[in-house]
């Protein structure tokens, strides 16, 4: 196996409470349990030697016969079973073809549990394939030792408060390798073998052994679960496959017991190879999750959208955050606001990108835009009364009263820069959104509200943005009031209704972004050299912003240009349709993977582009 495969060379499996990444070579090298934000059991992605992995690879002469047995010439292919989260890795060797089928059974996703399973089924497809298994768990991000009890058909790895049980099914004999387990098995056409990893608390009962027939039943159940879920999707547009994959990815990244989506399942994957922009994304950002509501509702997944909005109302009702503000920018999936950041200095980092961080110090930042995204999410159904009772409304009204007094404050901004607080234009825009949606909902539902005060504050924000956030020199809206730097976050301005997509000021801004922030249809967030963000190094183009650019082009009437940009962007998806946070100069994916924000923006762009194309064709 290759150490540190490219970030994009992975597929994602999960059970709606946690998930795992499996490389295109069959190596499971990222898995946390019992939740997304728990310490890792396998973290080979961040340290090949100390992180741990569960590998099933194939051995044998390469398909072309040009290299000796055991070489890296074995050809691999990876794909998802259509419209599911069942991942298949195929191995093509000179002696035959084999497959590993990976999935995580979805039990009762809405009940939090400490027990999670990864099922890995090996199949002989043609000829003979020799599979090699290595199970090398490293608990607590590789910081904790473990004990091993090993038999031919089962192994128990015991770490601090957590146990990993490995069961072998079929002609697989497990062997001890110090405190790890290895095995080899040769399968011919039609033969199967499997290993099931069950992770639970040390006090929990060991899992019952499964037979080959029971594993087949588990596979059928997992496949049928995902097929039933995707059938609920109402999208019938031009990009069905990519939209479905993005929807499944968002579902996989949502903690079902609370309805809270995480930003990404990983930590420490860099925005620049070898750089320091390595953050922990395994938490729920109010911003990201709120914007996902529109995407999921646009596809017909109202249950998922409403589950998050209920979670969000609980945060609004909980009162002040630890930083003294009404809301915090991010939380753990259970609503815990404490995300103390630390560095894991014992880990080498993906291809040397250090420090590896867990927790996120940005949680304590002031980002005023989150109030706009929160109210925007709560108003997505058209009637906030759909899920907001009277008491919840009154808490929202108190929040908007507070915003009337606090909107005109410098903050750290949407990109969580560490270069000090500034008067960011996007933050003001989203404060306008909060008040605007609050006014609309209060009027539509006859709820108590200080409408004169809210209206005065909303109008003051609009006037301020149109004067101080607009640069006559650049003929564009700019990042913050003290400079003339462009910022792609402002691509959301027409989406949230702050400005019409054909307003002359907006069209001029779109042109300015196109000439400065856009490279071959890919969009940078901003220029760090022109607006220092307190961090060293550079970054790639931001995939979220590229899809927002497509949306803005489509709504501005530049439909064919939008479609070409969209189609080009889709070529940057990985082999199974997943996107990380950024795209590097060589087209490589950078940052935490896969990123929910990117996939929700893909859905938003596809919905808008389909509508505009239908309109232009008279459909």
């Amino acid at each position: 196996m290759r150490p540190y495969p490219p970030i994009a060379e992975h597929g994602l499996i999960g059970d709606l409470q946690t998930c795992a990444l499996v490389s295109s070579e069959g190596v499971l090298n990222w898995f946390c349990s019992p939740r997304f934000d728990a310490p890792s059991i396998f973290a080979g992605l961040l340290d090949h030697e100390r992180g741990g992995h569960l590998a099933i690879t194939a051995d044998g002469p390469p398909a072309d016969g040009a290299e000796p047995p055991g070489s890296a010439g074995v050809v691999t292919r990876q794909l998802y079973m259509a419209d599911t989260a069942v991942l298949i890795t195929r191995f093509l060797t000179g002696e035959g073809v084999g497959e590993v089928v990976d999935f995580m059974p979805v039990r009762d996703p809405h009940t939090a549990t400490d027990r999670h399973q990864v099922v890995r089924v090996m199949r002989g497809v043609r000829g003979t394939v020799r599979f090699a298994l290595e199970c090398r768990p490293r608990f607590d991000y590789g910081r904790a030792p473990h004990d091993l009890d090993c038999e031919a058909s089962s192994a128990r790895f015991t770490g601090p408060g957590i146990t990993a049980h490995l069961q072998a099914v079929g002609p697989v004999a497990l062997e001890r390798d110090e405190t790890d387990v290895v095995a080899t098995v040769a399968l011919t056409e039609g033969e199967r073998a499997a290993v099931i990893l069950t992770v639970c608390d040390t006090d929990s009962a060991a899992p019952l052994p499964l037979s080959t027939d029971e594993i087949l039943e588990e596979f059928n159940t997992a496949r049928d679960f995902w097929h039933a879920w995707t059938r609920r999707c109402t999208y019938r547009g031009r990009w069905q496959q990519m939209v479905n994959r993005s929807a499944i990815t968002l579902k996989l990244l949502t903690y079902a017991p609370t309805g809270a989506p995480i930003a990404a399942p990983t930590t420490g994957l860099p925005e620049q190879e070898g750089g320091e922009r390595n953050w922990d994304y395994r938490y729920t950002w109010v911003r990201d999750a709120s914007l996902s509501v529109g995407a999921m509702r646009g596809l017909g997944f109202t249950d998922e959208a409403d589950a998050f909005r209920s979670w969000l109302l609980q945060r609004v009702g909980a009162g002040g955050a630890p930083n003294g503000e009404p809301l915090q920018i991010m939380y753990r999936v259970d609503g815990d606001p404490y995300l103390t950041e630390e560095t894991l200095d014992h880990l080498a980092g993906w291809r040397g990108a250090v420090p590896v961080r867990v927790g996120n110090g940005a949680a304590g930042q002031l980002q005023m835009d989150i109030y706009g995204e929160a109210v925007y999410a709560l108003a997505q159904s058209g009637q906030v009364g759909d899920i907001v009772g009277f008491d919840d409304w009154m808490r929202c009204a108190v929040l908007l009263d507070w915003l009337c007094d606090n909107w005109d404050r410098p903050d750290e901004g949407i990109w969580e820069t560490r270069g000090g607080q500034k008067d960011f234009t996007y933050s003001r825009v989203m404060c306008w959104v909060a008040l605007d949606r609050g006014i609309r909902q209060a009027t539509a539902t006859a709820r108590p509200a200080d409408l004169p005060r809210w209206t005065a504050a909303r109008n003051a924000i609009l006037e301020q943005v149109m004067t101080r956030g607009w640069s006559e020199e650049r003929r564009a809206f700019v990042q913050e009031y003290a400079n003339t730097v462009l910022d792609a976050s402002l691509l959301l301005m027409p989406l949230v209704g702050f400005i019409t997509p054909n307003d002359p000021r907006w069209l001029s801004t779109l042109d300015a972004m196109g000439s400065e922030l856009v490279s071959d249809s890919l969009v940078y967030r901003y220029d760090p050299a022109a607006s220092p963000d307190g961090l060293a190094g550079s970054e790639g183009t931001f995939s979220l912003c590229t899809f927002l650019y497509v949306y803005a082009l489509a709504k501005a009437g530049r439909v064919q240009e939008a479609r070409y940009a969209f189609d080009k962007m889709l070529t940057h998806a990985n082999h199974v349709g997943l996107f990380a946070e950024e795209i590097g100069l060589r087209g490589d994916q950078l940052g935490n993977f896969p990123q929910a924000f990117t996939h929700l923006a893909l859905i938003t762009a596809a919905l808008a582009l389909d509508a505009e194309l239908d309109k232009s064709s008279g459909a």
Side-chain angles (χ1 to χ4, degrees):
M1 72 189 75
R2 290 175 296 171
Y4 309 112
I7 291 170
E9 284 296 312
H10 293 85
L12 179 74
I13 59 174
D15 64 1
L16 311 187
Q17 295 189 25
T18 188
C19 60
L21 289 178
V22 181
S23 79
S24 60
E25 294 179 319
V27 182
L28 192 159
N29 56 19
W30 182 256
F31 177 58
C32 302
S33 188
R35 295 191 327 202
F36 298 112
D37 57 351
S40 65
I41 296 170
F42 300 111
L45 197 57
L46 297 177
D47 193 311
H48 181 69
E49 298 297 329
R50 291 180 289 270
H53 58 259
L54 172 54
I56 300 179
T57 56
D59 192 14
D64 60 9
E67 300 178 59
S71 74
V74 174
V75 175
T76 63
R77 297 287 186 267
Q78 196 172 56
L79 68 154
Y80 278 113
M81 181 168 286
D83 293 337
T84 76
V86 177
L87 188 67
I88 301 171
T89 307
R90 290 170 54 82
F91 300 89
L92 287 70
T93 79
E95 295 179 337
V97 176
E99 294 179 344
V100 174
V101 180
D102 288 311
F103 63 94
M104 295 182 67
V106 179
R107 309 295 184 193
D108 180 3
H110 300 290
T111 301
T113 178
D114 69 333
R115 184 178 291 255
H116 301 276
Q117 283 188 322
V118 176
V119 180
R120 311 202 68 188
V121 181
M122 295 164 274
R123 304 195 300 198
V125 178
R126 298 175 60 191
T128 300
V129 175
R130 296 189 297 275
F131 291 98
L133 165 73
E134 293 183 4
C135 186
R136 305 187 186 278
R138 298 294 182 265
F139 295 94
D140 190 24
Y141 305 111
R143 294 182 293 195
H146 65 267
D147 297 322
L148 171 65
D149 294 315
C150 182
E151 299 177 358
S153 61
S154 65
R156 184 175 71 249
F157 305 87
T158 305
I162 191 168
T163 299
H165 300 268
L166 188 70
Q167 179 197 350
V169 180
V172 181
L174 304 177
E175 299 178 10
R176 175 187 289 269
D177 181 16
E178 297 182 352
T179 57
D180 300 325
V181 163
V182 297
T184 58
V185 59
L187 299 179
T188 59
E189 183 174 339
E191 290 186 322
R192 289 180 172 84
V195 290
I196 303 100
L197 180 77
T198 304
V199 178
C200 55
D201 284 348
T202 52
D203 295 333
S204 299
L208 297 174
L210 295 178
S211 66
T212 302
D213 288 342
E214 288 170 326
I215 292 174
L216 179 59
E217 185 178 344
E218 291 277 14
F219 165 78
N220 290 335
T221 300
R223 178 200 60 203
D224 294 347
F225 170 85
W226 287 105
H227 281 166
W229 187 80
T230 54
R231 278 198 297 271
R232 291 169 46 204
C233 181
T234 57
Y235 177 79
R236 298 294 182 268
R238 297 165 176 80
W239 296 279
Q240 183 85 51
Q241 186 174 357
M242 289 300 297
V243 167
N244 280 1
R245 180 53 51 199
S246 289
I248 291 170
T249 303
L250 291 178
K251 180 72 169 175
L252 282 170
L253 298 182
T254 299
Y255 185 67
T258 64
I262 59 171
T266 56
T267 182
L269 295 181
E271 298 173 17
Q272 177 188 22
E273 191 166 327
E276 68 164 336
R277 298 168 185 253
N278 319 314
W279 314 111
D280 192 347
Y281 276 18
R282 299 172 297 155
Y283 309 113
T284 301
W285 267 253
V286 169
R287 174 189 311 113
D288 303 29
S290 293
L291 293 173
S292 74
V293 168
M296 295 304 275
R297 289 190 65 85
L299 301 181
F301 294 115
T302 56
D303 290 346
E304 287 75 10
D306 289 346
F308 166 71
R309 295 194 301 170
S310 295
W311 178 92
L312 180 59
L313 279 171
Q314 293 173 30
R315 308 287 76 72
V316 173
N323 63 356
E325 305 297 328
L327 277 178
Q328 186 166 285
I329 69 168
M330 71 180 90
Y331 299 83
R332 295 186 184 273
V333 291
D334 60 357
D336 182 355
Y338 295 97
L339 287 76
T340 304
E341 185 175 303
E342 62 176 313
T343 60
L344 303 179
D345 295 329
H346 65 289
L347 295 180
W350 183 82
R351 300 188 179 180
V354 292
V356 174
R357 297 178 175 92
V358 293
N360 200 309
Q365 287 189 351
L366 176 65
Q367 296 179 21
M368 295 300 296
D369 65 280
I370 63 172
Y371 299 102
E373 284 120 6
V375 178
Y376 183 75
L378 294 175
Q380 278 290 297
S381 68
Q383 293 295 333
V384 74
D386 287 356
I387 65 164
V388 179
F390 179 79
D391 292 336
D392 289 324
W393 168 261
M394 294 307 296
R395 282 189 283 269
C396 291
V398 169
L399 182 67
L400 291 173
D401 287 339
W402 174 90
L403 193 61
C404 288
D405 293 327
N406 287 272
W407 65 265
D408 197 15
R409 297 165 65 188
D411 67 349
E412 274 88 3
I414 180 177
W415 305 129
E416 296 168 9
T417 59
R418 302 197 177 188
Q421 295 183 346
K422 302 175 183 177
D423 291 311
F424 285 103
T425 303
Y426 177 79
S427 298
R428 300 302 201 279
V429 168
M430 294 311 294
C431 288
W432 177 93
V433 170
L435 292 162
D436 178 71
R437 296 314 191 272
I439 293 166
R440 295 188 194 189
Q441 295 300 325
T443 303
T445 60
R447 299 293 177 93
D450 191 345
L451 289 177
R453 186 183 183 205
W454 294 5
T455 302
R458 181 191 65 178
N459 293 345
I461 297 171
L462 179 66
E463 292 173 6
Q464 187 190 88
V465 170
M466 288 299 185
T467 53
R468 299 183 64 194
W470 169 261
S471 169
E472 285 291 341
E473 174 190 346
R474 302 299 307 274
R475 300 297 300 166
F477 292 103
V478 292
Q479 181 186 69
E480 49 107 355
Y481 295 167
N483 66 34
T484 59
V485 173
L486 300 180
D487 192 311
S489 66
L490 298 177
L491 287 165
L492 279 161
M493 291 174 73
L495 190 150
V496 298
F498 184 87
I499 195 167
T500 62
N502 292 300
D503 186 288
R505 287 195 183 198
W506 176 247
L507 294 177
S508 178
T509 300
L510 194 57
D511 287 339
M513 289 186 183
S515 63
E516 184 170 310
L517 297 182
V518 179
S519 173
D520 191 31
S521 299
L522 302 175
V523 182
Y524 290 95
R525 294 190 292 181
Y526 56 90
D527 180 2
S531 177
D533 54 16
L535 298 166
S538 61
E539 60 183 18
T541 56
F542 216 68
S543 297
L544 157 74
C545 298
T546 301
F547 286 121
L548 293 180
Y549 182 60
V550 169
Y551 174 92
L553 288 174
K555 290 298 184 179
R558 296 158 61 175
V559 181
Q560 294 306 320
E561 185 180 350
R563 182 171 191 171
Y564 185 45
F566 188 67
D567 286 339
K568 283 198 290 185
M569 182 59 186
L570 294 185
T571 69
H572 290 285
N574 81 340
H575 57 290
V576 290
L578 303 181
F579 285 93
E581 186 176 28
E582 301 181 9
I583 304 294
L585 285 175
R586 300 187 301 271
D588 48 322
Q589 298 209 35
L590 298 169
N592 285 303
F593 175 88
Q595 197 206 32
F597 218 170
T598 301
H599 285 277
L600 76 88
L602 184 155
I603 293 169
T604 300
L607 291 170
L609 190 51
D610 266 314
E612 295 303 319
L613 285 167
D614 289 346
K615 189 186 304 182
S616 64
S617 65

